[in-house]
Amino acid sequence: ILREKLPEIKKVTDRIRYELNEMLKIMKKNDGCGIAANQCNIRKKMFIAVLEDKGLEYFINPQIIEFSEEKEIDFEGCLS
């Protein structure tokens, strides 16, 4: 499931909000700093992450629009 191409979310519904809340519970329970929907067996393009400068953020249909060659060393908080 981690390599599966997921469909885009067309509209943020109560179901999406519920799933994001469940993802947040899983992330907190496991002391993570981010989690993707497919890590929770939810087949949707979304993830949540705690960003150093912004706090908790929700991402729906994320896209990489810019790539940097810069490197940063930090704590790995991936739960997969």
Side-chain angles (χ1 to χ4, degrees):
I1 189 171
L2 295 179
R3 296 183 189 271
E4 189 176 312
K5 184 169 177 143
L6 303 169
E8 285 194 6
I9 296 168
K10 303 288 186 204
K11 183 178 178 182
V12 178
T13 62
D14 287 340
R15 178 68 186 177
I16 297 291
R17 288 182 188 93
Y18 171 80
E19 290 169 334
L20 287 165
N21 190 51
E22 291 300 303
M23 290 166 54
L24 182 58
K25 288 179 190 177
I26 292 168
M27 184 184 80
K28 285 183 174 183
K29 180 180 178 184
N30 292 284
D31 199 30
C33 62
I35 195 165
N38 54 351
Q39 290 175 290
C40 301
N41 202 29
I42 300 170
R43 289 174 160 82
K44 294 187 175 108
K45 282 186 177 181
M46 59 186 186
F47 72 93
I48 56 178
V50 178
L51 305 179
E52 190 173 301
D53 57 338
K54 295 183 180 180
L56 181 64
E57 291 279 323
Y58 297 86
F59 296 85
I60 308 276
N61 299 324
Q63 295 180 343
I64 297 172
I65 55 173
E66 187 176 317
F67 181 78
S68 172
E69 293 292 332
E70 293 180 36
K71 295 182 181 181
E72 186 174 321
I73 297 174
D74 202 353
F75 169 76
E76 174 58 60
C78 181
L79 298 175
S80 61

